[in-house]
Amino acid sequence: MLPGLSGVEVCRILRERPETAKLPILMLTAKAGEADRVLGLELGADDYLAKPFSPREMVARVRAILRRANANSHSEPPPSYDKGGLRIDFTTYEVFVRDKAVKLTLKEFELLRFLVQNPNRVLSRDQLLDRVWGGETFVTPRTVDVHIRRLRKAVEKDDSNPKWILTLRGVGYKFDEKALEQ
């Protein structure tokens, strides 16, 4: 019932274009027939809401669509990281520093991955423990310090004067992505 194009046609066009193909679409329409609903959903709408509807139902449906869209967008991390002198392949668990292979333990690799995936963000010991070690095992916060020290020895040019993995005293650690370019 839109002027010029139908809502179904707009939906089809949005799904065909790469820049809009993944946008969440909720069709709000006066066409309540089963054939109309099926057509809208088959052409790419994420949900279909026929008039009359309550504003609360519409808000709930929008929130559900956005939850699904956000879950899908964060579900798959990139397969590799390659900046400056650091290259990490997340699928093969290989790390290269200045084109030289570096051997890391699984926890050191997971710690590096989490730091790299959260660049320039200060992460507390507790955050690192939760994300890298999980709640299944009991480890002390000082375990993070030991693993950071080992990680620095493996990847930093001078581990006594680190440039990539920084300590913010009393707060935590951060991965300085800008330092990779120097």
Side-chain angles (χ1 to χ4, degrees), residues 31-145:
K31 295 183 175 185
E34 179 185 1
D36 295 315
R37 291 191 311 263
V38 169
L39 180 63
L41 293 168
E42 284 183 350
L43 287 177
D46 295 292
D47 203 350
Y48 192 100
L49 188 56
K51 296 176 188 174
F53 56 84
S54 76
R56 288 179 58 191
E57 180 183 8
M58 184 188 72
V59 169
R61 286 177 183 262
V62 167
R63 284 185 179 145
I65 289 171
L66 292 176
R67 263 195 318 272
R68 287 192 304 268
N70 286 335
N72 291 340
S73 68
H74 298 299
S75 63
E76 211 170 299
S80 64
Y81 180 91
D82 192 356
K83 284 196 180 168
L86 182 63
R87 192 171 80 234
I88 306 169
D89 188 325
F90 298 129
T91 56
T92 62
Y93 289 79
E94 293 176 305
V95 176
F96 298 90
V97 176
R98 295 170 202 88
D99 294 322
K100 181 182 172 194
V102 174
K103 296 286 184 199
L104 298 178
T105 67
L106 179 60
K107 286 299 176 198
E108 289 165 353
F109 181 87
E110 290 174 350
L111 182 58
L112 180 61
R113 176 185 6 208
F114 188 65
L115 288 167
V116 162
Q117 289 175 340
N118 293 279
N120 307 314
R121 183 174 160 209
V122 180
L123 301 162
S124 70
R125 284 187 189 101
D126 289 336
Q127 287 174 309
L128 293 169
L129 281 172
D130 286 344
R131 293 306 209 109
V132 176
W133 281 266
E136 300 165 7
T137 57
F138 176 76
V139 288
T140 66
R142 292 294 173 194
T143 302
V144 174
D145 301 340

